[in-house]
Amino acid sequence: MTADLQKGRMRLQACFLGLLALFVTGKCSYSPEPDQQLALPPGWVSLGRVDSEEELSLTFALRQQNVERLSELVQAVSDPGSPRYGKYLTLEDVAELVRPSPLTFRTVQKWLLAAGAQNCHSVTTRDFLTCWLSVRQAELLLSGAEFHRYVGGPGEIHVIRSPHPYQLPKALAPHVDFVGGLHRFPPTSSLRQRPEPQVSGTVGLHLGVTPSVIRQRYNLTAQDVGSGTTNNSQACAQFLEQYFHDSDLAEFMRLFGGNFAHQASVARVVGQQGRGRAGIEASLDVEYLMSAGANISTWVYSSPGRHESQEPFLQWLLVLSNESALPHVHTVSYGDDEDSLSSAYIQRVNTEFMKAAARGLTLLFASGDSGAGCWSVSGRHQFRPSFPASSPYVTTVGGTSFQNPFRVTNEIVDYISGGGFSNVFPQPSYQEEAVAQFLSSSPHVPPSSYFNASGRAYPDVAALSDGYWVVSNSVPIPWVSGTSASTPVFGGLLSLINEHRILSGRPPLGFLNPRLYKQRGAGLFDVTHGCHESCLNEEVQGQGFCSGPGWDPVTGWGTPNFPALLKTLINP
């Protein structure tokens, strides 16, 4: 009798899902933009359809409320001229503001539960729902989706994705922004190991960038370390098969941390830290965040994609929406071509950055390692901006090299330093004056058809990105380069400034850009020589934008001069 009941239930559920699919594929349905273009990225291969009873994890982004009001509050708490400066919102305040309407939450939840979704979890802000479904249930629920297993990337990673767009009932259009875990393939790291420069003679020379070289160039003394007496903390995020090893960090500090107080272990790992080989990217992030922001408690957010259907960057955003006590500074070396992402996805992720800014978090993203980038649109070349670097609610870090690669000298542009103008986000008011000054005064502005001069311009700042030593899998590796290196360095120095602010009874820096542009880059070394790479054609001949006095879309306002930057940012 029990077996007959079970079979009956299964037949009823199959019947319901069949009717649901018929409804979805009829006239009463709509197709959300896929969260990424559906073309299979280079280096990925399909292993075929996934078994229909295999379990998937999908994340539903629910429509938020009061996003305009959130934007106004971010401006108020981030502008030193505002009476609300530094009066950040709590996670509960943010949740009260943006959480979806009760109608939205009930509508989506009922739709999912009726379709057999199991184990659905929300976050504090109630604007994401993550659910487990079988492949059969997911393909009926998201008509048009067809789940395949793929393998690719440097680590031969396995992911489950759909190569086809999906449809939702039209009644859900006001309630769901997108469904995550269907289309986005993990971007590959652009971190590279460059050949060692050749030079004759070695007197007075250094043999690559180490913590002592960074501290010398940016004028840090042995006293410029965390006090160990505050609740100050900093964090970096690692994604998809990128892990650090405690033993590598300890060896790195033994080799390179002898002349300043430091912590030799990570205070907290949030998420699942895998047991695989260490990744150079993750090793670099942790080692240089903890040596620049020396002796400050450091967290690592590990989002390896615990299941093949999970999208690690989205998982990290969900964690930020669910934790009330977070580190003040977060550095992330991650990016995608802006044009590869749907408008719905990119706008929603941008709102997640607004939520972080309202709470007083400083988010720093690498500007990318492809210079201005390049792609062809209707047969014409254009520069290719990167996201999240192009978000107006993060601080984006570009890259520099030493003028003499073996001496601690002035810095010039690292030709790979990402930079340019967003094709999605309009130019925020905080940077209009600086960008106008650059466009009107630079003698090397590329043809206007290559970029959107009215878009959000980036980077905002820069630091050394060329020739780093990293310890990974117990091996010291020289000449590692990329803005993945400059980003944790700048983040660590901001953590030191936060330490002074907290000890003085002031709030942490929070979203830095309005203040940074208002102070016109005070406390930074202006980088005025060099250009980054771009399209290899006759018109621009591989040259993108060039640096110059003041702000530019290659190195932003410049690189940190720590004592001057501390003086500039310590008050109010």
Side-chain angles (χ1 to χ4, degrees):
M1 185 66 178
T2 307
D4 290 340
L5 277 171
Q6 183 67 19
K7 285 178 185 174
R9 281 179 186 155
M10 288 176 69
R11 280 196 295 270
L12 279 170
Q13 190 181 47
C15 182
F16 168 77
L17 287 169
L19 287 169
L20 186 63
L22 183 65
F23 170 70
V24 169
T25 53
K27 292 181 180 179
C28 296
S29 63
Y30 83 105
S31 298
E33 291 179 273
D35 51 0
Q36 187 174 41
Q37 286 187 351
L38 297 179
L40 190 64
W44 289 87
V45 177
S46 173
L47 300 179
R49 294 283 297 270
V50 181
D51 184 88
S52 63
E53 295 308 312
E54 189 160 336
E55 292 277 293
L56 294 176
S57 169
L58 296 176
T59 298
F60 298 82
L62 276 56
R63 186 69 47 83
Q64 297 155 317
Q65 300 189 100
N66 303 314
V67 173
E68 283 299 318
R69 177 62 181 148
L70 179 65
S71 175
E72 292 167 5
L73 286 169
V74 170
Q75 179 63 28
V77 300
S78 307
D79 182 354
S82 163
R84 290 203 59 163
Y85 178 67
K87 296 175 181 176
Y88 303 125
L89 279 66
T90 64
L91 176 60
E92 290 68 28
D93 293 334
V94 172
E96 190 66 32
L97 191 67
V98 304
R99 70 166 52 108
S101 70
L103 175 63
T104 288
F105 198 82
R106 280 198 310 272
T107 301
V108 176
Q109 196 173 42
K110 284 182 179 178
W111 173 67
L112 289 168
L113 291 175
Q118 298 293 314
N119 205 10
C120 288
H121 297 288
S122 187
V123 291
T124 302
T125 48
R126 294 178 70 84
D127 47 4
F128 288 104
L129 268 175
T130 299
C131 298
W132 288 91
L133 306 92
S134 70
V135 167
R136 177 178 57 83
Q137 289 169 329
E139 289 182 349
L140 289 171
L141 189 71
L142 307 170
S143 180
E146 185 179 281
F147 290 94
H148 292 238
R149 180 171 277 106
Y150 296 89
V151 62
E156 293 293 292
I157 300 159
H158 286 72
V159 300
I160 294 173
R161 297 291 186 268
S162 169
H164 306 301
Y166 62 92
Q167 292 183 311
L168 295 177
K170 214 167 193 177
L172 289 178
H175 304 299
V176 176
D177 286 333
F178 67 87
V179 183
L182 274 86
H183 300 124
R184 282 177 48 72
F185 284 82
T188 55
S189 170
S190 54
L191 201 64
R192 61 188 82 175
Q193 189 176 10
R194 292 182 185 165
E196 180 178 339
Q198 300 301 307
V199 68
S200 58
T202 58
V203 178
L205 304 182
H206 68 80
L207 298 176
V209 175
T210 63
S212 62
V213 169
I214 286 169
R215 296 178 78 84
Q216 181 183 343
R217 168 57 187 156
Y218 297 142
N219 293 322
L220 282 87
T221 68
Q223 286 70 50
D224 291 318
V225 295
S227 66
T229 63
T230 70
N231 63 352
N232 190 19
S233 56
Q234 57 189 1
C236 58
Q238 57 190 30
F239 305 112
L240 215 62
E241 305 302 324
Q242 278 287 333
Y243 309 117
F244 79 96
H245 286 174
D246 284 318
S247 57
D248 288 339
L249 176 60
E251 177 65 6
F252 178 84
M253 290 301 187
R254 187 187 70 79
L255 290 172
F256 303 120
N259 60 353
F260 56 93
H262 60 266
Q263 298 184 8
S265 62
V266 167
R268 183 177 171 189
V269 175
V270 181
Q272 192 169 351
Q273 168 75 350
R275 296 182 180 179
R277 286 174 58 80
I280 294 181
E281 179 103 49
S283 303
L284 173 78
D285 287 347
V286 173
E287 289 164 8
Y288 281 91
L289 180 61
M290 292 186 68
S291 55
N295 211 36
I296 288 174
S297 176
T298 302
W299 299 16
V300 173
Y301 285 85
S302 183
S303 303
R306 286 172 290 175
H307 185 271
E308 293 168 315
S309 64
Q310 289 181 332
E311 203 276 284
F313 182 68
L314 198 55
Q315 299 305 308
W316 175 69
L317 290 175
L318 263 63
V319 172
L320 295 191
S321 276
N322 214 30
E323 296 287 335
S324 55
L326 293 170
H328 302 306
V329 173
H330 296 252
T331 75
V332 187
S333 303
Y334 161 92
D336 262 324
D337 295 324
E338 200 181 61
D339 59 89
S340 74
L341 304 168
S342 75
S343 173
Y345 180 89
I346 211 168
Q347 295 290 351
R348 176 55 185 268
V349 171
N350 193 55
T351 303
E352 298 308 303
F353 297 151
M354 289 167 56
K355 286 160 61 177
R359 296 172 62 191
L361 305 183
T362 303
L363 302 185
L364 295 105
F365 277 85
S367 70
D369 298 336
S370 303
C374 186
W375 67 316
S376 182
V377 183
S378 303
R380 280 196 57 83
H381 285 106
Q382 290 181 6
F383 296 157
R384 194 173 200 179
S386 175
F387 180 81
S390 65
S391 167
Y393 293 100
V394 305
T395 298
T396 304
V397 186
T400 61
S401 304
F402 282 125
Q403 196 161 8
N404 179 325
F406 288 96
R407 294 187 185 276
V408 181
T409 58
N410 291 337
E411 293 161 74
I412 59 173
V413 168
D414 185 348
Y415 69 93
I416 56 95
S417 178
F421 293 76
S422 173
N423 290 319
V424 174
F425 300 109
Q427 206 163 97
S429 58
Y430 62 71
Q431 69 171 184
E432 286 174 349
E433 185 182 340
V435 174
Q437 176 71 23
F438 168 79
L439 292 173
S440 64
S441 63
S442 173
H444 302 293
V445 177
S448 59
S449 61
Y450 279 76
F451 65 100
N452 171 28
S454 62
R456 150 64 161 145
Y458 69 96
D460 305 298
V461 293
L464 285 163
S465 57
D466 185 21
Y468 278 67
W469 280 90
V470 180
V471 175
S472 190
N473 298 301
S474 305
V475 178
I477 302 169
W479 303 108
V480 175
S481 301
T483 53
S484 296
S486 55
T487 306
V489 166
F490 207 101
L493 300 190
L494 291 181
S495 291
L496 293 180
I497 294 172
N498 272 339
E499 184 86 357
H500 285 269
R501 290 180 61 87
I502 292 166
L503 287 170
S504 304
R506 295 183 177 85
L509 287 165
F511 175 45
L512 189 61
N513 291 11
R515 181 168 186 161
L516 183 71
Y517 282 82
K518 183 169 277 191
Q519 296 177 339
R520 302 192 58 78
L524 299 168
F525 291 119
D526 197 2
V527 179
T528 58
H529 295 287
C531 308
H532 63 184
E533 62 188 357
S534 75
C535 302
L536 286 169
N537 61 11
E538 288 187 13
E539 194 169 19
V540 296
Q541 299 181 6
Q543 180 175 293
F545 297 99
C546 297
S547 64
W551 179 89
D552 56 70
V554 192
T555 60
W557 287 106
T559 63
N561 177 5
F562 183 74
L565 191 60
L566 174 62
K567 186 177 180 181
T568 300
L569 296 178
I570 189 68
N571 292 310

